[in-house]
Amino acid sequence: QVQLVESGGGLVQAGGSLRLSCAASGVIFSASRMGWYRQAPGKQRELVATITRGNSASYADSVKGRFTISRDNAKNTVYLQMNSLRPEDTAVYVCNAYNIFVGSEYWGQGTQVTVSS
């Protein structure tokens, strides 16, 4: 059974930092491209960042230079370091795993990030 469990969300003031974690089980982590998405109230889910098996990262323009995605294959965990947070970063952040060999995709339940002005 595949599980993606996010943690690290919370309430922070603008300009602050948070580090999100996503622990994966039941999925071949090393074969998966991992990603973080977010969904704000009344808005569609949007891609925040992805990281490939080879540690190549990509980011949405809105978070470039502020967020950093990383992965630890030994711990089956992907991280999202978020700095210089803004109120517009407020959303539920959801972890994603995509197995590039079989095309299967999985989602976590999400963790709430709230940035106050």
Side-chain angles (χ1 to χ4, degrees), residues 20-31:
L20 306 183
S21 300
C22 171
S25 61
V27 63
I28 304 175
F29 189 81
S30 60

Side-chain angles (χ1 to χ4, degrees), residues 44-81:
Q44 289 190 330
R45 181 175 290 181
E46 64 173 352
L47 174 67
V48 176
T50 62
I51 186 165
T52 68
R53 296 166 61 236
N55 280 318
S56 177
S58 63
Y59 300 91
D61 287 343
S62 58
V63 306
K64 280 181 182 176
R66 300 188 298 122
F67 291 11
T68 303
I69 189 171
S70 61
R71 63 190 293 162
D72 186 335
N73 288 341
K75 295 182 178 180
N76 284 5
T77 301
V78 62
Y79 305 96
L80 186 68
Q81 177 66 45

Side-chain angles (χ1 to χ4, degrees), residues 2-117:
V2 176
Q3 277 193 314
L4 301 176
V5 180
E6 301 97 336
S7 60
L11 173 63
V12 64
Q13 288 188 330
S17 299
L18 284 174
R19 188 194 195 205
L20 306 183
S21 300
C22 171
S25 61
V27 63
I28 304 175
F29 189 81
S30 60
S32 301
R33 183 191 69 202
M34 302 300 297
W36 287 96
Y37 290 71
R38 66 186 182 186
Q39 187 164 17
K43 295 187 177 180
Q44 289 190 330
R45 181 175 290 181
E46 64 173 352
L47 174 67
V48 176
T50 62
I51 186 165
T52 68
R53 296 166 61 236
N55 280 318
S56 177
S58 63
Y59 300 91
D61 287 343
S62 58
V63 306
K64 280 181 182 176
R66 300 188 298 122
F67 291 11
T68 303
I69 189 171
S70 61
R71 63 190 293 162
D72 186 335
N73 288 341
K75 295 182 178 180
N76 284 5
T77 301
V78 62
Y79 305 96
L80 186 68
Q81 177 66 45
M82 305 186 295
N83 299 327
S84 301
L85 282 161
R86 304 167 180 169
E88 54 263 39
D89 295 318
T90 295
V92 174
Y93 284 71
V94 184
C95 180
N96 171 269
Y98 177 73
N99 186 309
I100 64 170
F101 297 110
V102 300
S104 54
E105 189 169 32
Y106 306 95
W107 297 89
Q109 292 295 312
T111 185
Q112 176 71 45
V113 171
T114 302
V115 184
S116 63
S117 57

